[in-house]
Amino acid sequence: MTNIQSQTRTRTDTRNDRLFSTTVAVAGFFVLISLFAAAAMMFKGGWQAFSTFGMGFLFDANWDVAQGHYGAMVPIFGTVITSFIALLIAVPISFGIAIFLTELSPNWLRIPVSSAIELLAGIPSIIFGMWGLFILVPFLGEYVFPWLSENLGEKAVIGPLFQGPPLGIGVGTAGLVLAIMIIPFISSVMREVFLTVPTQLKESAYALGSTTTEVVWNIVLPYTRSAVIGGIFLGLGRALGETMAVTFVIGNAYEISAGLLNPGTSIASTIANEFGEAVDPLHKSSLLALGFVLFILTFCVLSLAKLMLRQLKKRDGN
């Protein structure tokens, strides 16, 4: 009787394990199928634009709805530049927040600051856009951008970056709003991975006379390097695809300029502004082609992150 019960239990466990394995496999394949289905849908919708303009669609800076001529260079440029500005601002600040919370903050302040960061991550993007348009843009246009244009606009190397109308709306403002939006994501990831550093390692370094700066640079960062890079690319992925916040403050002008004070546009903001009014099939196809380009751009960025993480693991001997 005991042997029969054991065999029955074994068959039941085997069946349940097979059912569980099948279920999680279906969930995993569902993600892949959804991903490729979305890419295929955008590629199919954008095929008319690709067949009409060819590869020149990616390098043409002329976007003229009236003439029925569309080029993706300006939105691609705006997407890349605003995301780069966002990372340039967000990464140091996020690193400082994470180090403060894990190494320097008193216990009574740690929980309120952590909660504030989590709440900031939950604010809808349209709220950031409205805040940027009604609060940040007037402040930058009245105090910051005029000062930058007057004092830095004539410099030999960096001058072109700060030339332009100090209206408060522009590529630089969009990058700043994006930075504020991705700081909670990057800082939260950094904080969590910094907390995984064994206390014994840090205490040993302090016992040998290391300062907090030395512990951070020589112990914490090398131990969590891969995860930190992953968190940075997670924030970059969020910045690349952001729509409403950028649409409010970037200016939505189809021009390429080195000046951060000048208006521009991005792929997501172009689609948001024009898709609802796109009547011409070629116009709608061009917008879907932009969506496919954004998909490929984000995919390449995340693939690069995976490649970098794999190389770091090989270098570390893992």
Side-chain angles (χ1 to χ4, degrees), residues 9 19 25 42 50 63-64 97 129 150 152 155 226 250 264 266 293:
R9 175 63 182 272
L19 178 62
M42 288 185 290
F50 289 128
W63 185 280
D64 193 336
I97 293 173
E150 181 179 352
L152 301 179
K155 300 293 182 180
S226 298
I250 198 172
S266 68
V293 171

Side-chain angles (χ1 to χ4, degrees), residues 3 15 20 60 73 76 116 125 178 214 262 268 286 311 317:
N3 188 27
R15 184 175 63 253
F20 177 76
D60 191 348
M73 188 63 189
I76 293 174
S125 60
L178 282 178
E214 292 172 335
N262 291 318
S286 298
Q311 293 298 324

Side-chain angles (χ1 to χ4, degrees), residues 84 192-193 213 216 227 240:
F84 176 76
E192 293 300 324
V193 298
T213 303
V216 169
L240 286 171

Side-chain angles (χ1 to χ4, degrees), residues 19 24 44 63 97 102 134 138 141 153 184 186 192 205 214 246 254 260 284 291 315:
L19 178 62
V24 296
K44 180 181 178 181
W63 185 280
I97 293 173
T102 55
F134 295 113
I186 300 178
E192 293 300 324
E214 292 172 335
V246 175
Y254 291 95
L260 301 180
K284 184 172 293 186
R315 186 182 304 173

Side-chain angles (χ1 to χ4, degrees), residues 40-299:
M41 183 275 297
M42 288 185 290
F43 181 76
K44 180 181 178 181
W47 176 249
Q48 183 180 357
F50 289 128
S51 61
T52 302
F53 304 111
M55 290 301 295
F57 175 77
L58 301 177
F59 306 101
D60 191 348
N62 183 24
W63 185 280
D64 193 336
V65 178
Q67 299 296 326
H69 185 89
Y70 305 98
M73 188 63 189
V74 175
I76 293 174
F77 176 82
T79 300
V80 173
I81 292 300
T82 52
S83 300
F84 176 76
I85 295 172
L87 278 189
L88 200 63
I89 298 172
V91 170
I93 296 177
S94 300
F95 177 76
I97 293 173
I99 291 298
F100 175 74
L101 291 177
T102 55
E103 302 294 333
L104 302 174
S105 173
N107 292 330
W108 62 269
L109 186 60
R110 187 168 296 149
I111 294 179
V113 174
S114 301
S115 301
I117 294 174
E118 294 172 359
L119 289 174
L120 190 63
I123 297 177
S125 60
I126 193 171
I127 302 300
F128 280 105
M130 295 174 64
W131 169 81
L133 181 63
F134 295 113
I135 303 298
L136 187 61
V137 167
F139 175 78
L140 294 177
E142 184 173 356
Y143 299 104
V144 180
F145 282 4
W147 185 91
L148 291 176
S149 180
E150 181 179 352
N151 293 275
L152 301 179
E154 302 299 327
K155 300 293 182 180
V157 178
I158 63 174
L161 295 175
F162 301 101
Q163 293 176 356
L167 302 176
I169 290 179
V171 173
T173 306
L176 180 58
V177 171
L178 282 178
I180 296 173
M181 293 183 64
I182 66 176
I183 281 175
F185 296 93
I186 300 178
S187 60
S188 295
V189 172
M190 288 186 177
R191 173 179 172 270
E192 293 300 324
V193 298
F194 289 167
L195 289 174
T196 64
V197 179
T199 307
Q200 294 85 349
L201 290 178
K202 295 188 289 185
E203 290 179 348
S204 300
Y206 283 123
L208 292 174
S210 299
T211 62
T212 302
T213 303
E214 292 172 335
V215 170
V216 169
W217 287 105
N218 298 324
I219 303 296
V220 176
L221 273 182
Y223 191 88
T224 60
R225 179 173 51 189
S226 298
V228 167
I229 294 176
I232 292 173
F233 276 93
L234 175 65
L236 177 59
R238 169 71 190 273
L240 286 171
E242 180 50 47
T243 304
M244 295 310 300
V246 175
T247 304
F248 272 93
V249 299
I250 198 172
N252 302 304
Y254 291 95
E255 59 180 30
I256 295 179
S257 174
L260 301 180
L261 312 186
N262 291 318
T265 191
S266 68
I267 294 177
S269 63
T270 298
I271 296 174
N273 282 324
E274 300 186 14
F275 196 83
E277 301 177 356
V279 178
D280 181 24
L282 183 58
H283 185 192
K284 184 172 293 186
S285 178
S286 298
L287 294 174
L288 290 172
L290 279 180
F292 180 75
V293 171
L294 180 59
F295 176 88
I296 295 299
L297 181 62
T298 306
F299 180 80

